[in-house]
Amino acid sequence: MQHEMPWWLRLVLLMTVVGMVVGTQTIGTGKRGQLSGRYKGRKDFKPITGTYPSVEAKMYYTNPMGAKITKSSHFNYQYVLGHKIVFLCVARGSPLPQITWFKDGVELYAHRYMQLHEWKKGNHLKSKMEIDPATQADAGIYECHANNKYAVDTKAFRTTYIAHLKK
């Protein structure tokens, strides 16, 4: 007897693979606050094979009302111990997506040394995460997830620390 995987589990697996592929792209120079170019997003995303595995997958990825991250911080981020870390994530969609932050796969919540700010601007939702002061424990992989009832989009950020600024 053959068991077929539920559609939602296939979707979660597909999004995980896509998130890992997108999250491994290096953007910027790796120097704090300096970018070699802006990440343009995935507006023309297509699978490696050039075709979608099903009609449902094509509708999911091309739904104009689905959550899409339109602007985000660069992937590699070096921070100085004791200074502030700031990540930005801007998403659009209808209905307006919800933005959730993760570090090393665990959902983050605001606390004394980490603030999460969100505000609407037109048909976009902006979310900013700030950690101040940054410690060695803040190094890791951060993710911004934007989701609504039509789609989920994810961006990843890798942080590493340096002891002090070079003069």
Side-chain angles (χ1 to χ4, degrees), residues 2-35:
Q2 183 179 1
H3 295 284
E4 186 174 320
M5 191 181 306
W7 69 268
W8 58 269
L9 186 54
R10 286 186 295 192
L11 184 60
V12 167
L13 291 171
L14 179 64
M15 291 303 298
T16 301
V17 170
V18 169
M20 287 189 293
V21 170
V22 171
T24 59
Q25 296 175 351
T26 302
I27 309 296
T29 63
K31 296 179 184 173
R32 184 173 187 187
Q34 296 178 6
L35 290 175

Side-chain angles (χ1 to χ4, degrees), residues 51-59:
T51 59
Y52 295 97
S54 67
V55 173
E56 292 84 12
K58 182 176 182 179
M59 288 173 50

Side-chain angles (χ1 to χ4, degrees), residues 32 77 79-87 108-117 128-139 142 159:
R32 184 173 187 187
Y77 189 91
Y79 65 91
V80 178
L81 294 176
H83 288 221
K84 185 186 288 191
I85 298 174
V86 178
F87 287 122
L108 294 175
Y109 296 94
H111 57 76
R112 184 175 180 179
Y113 301 108
M114 185 183 73
Q115 293 80 43
L116 300 173
H117 306 280
K128 180 171 69 168
M129 181 189 65
E130 296 180 324
I131 300 171
D132 192 17
T135 67
Q136 292 176 346
D138 295 317
Y142 290 83
T159 59

Side-chain angles (χ1 to χ4, degrees), residues 30-45:
K31 296 179 184 173
R32 184 173 187 187
Q34 296 178 6
L35 290 175
S36 62
R38 289 253 184 236
Y39 179 68
K40 304 296 187 217
R42 298 184 323 162
K43 68 178 183 178
D44 297 321
F45 169 78

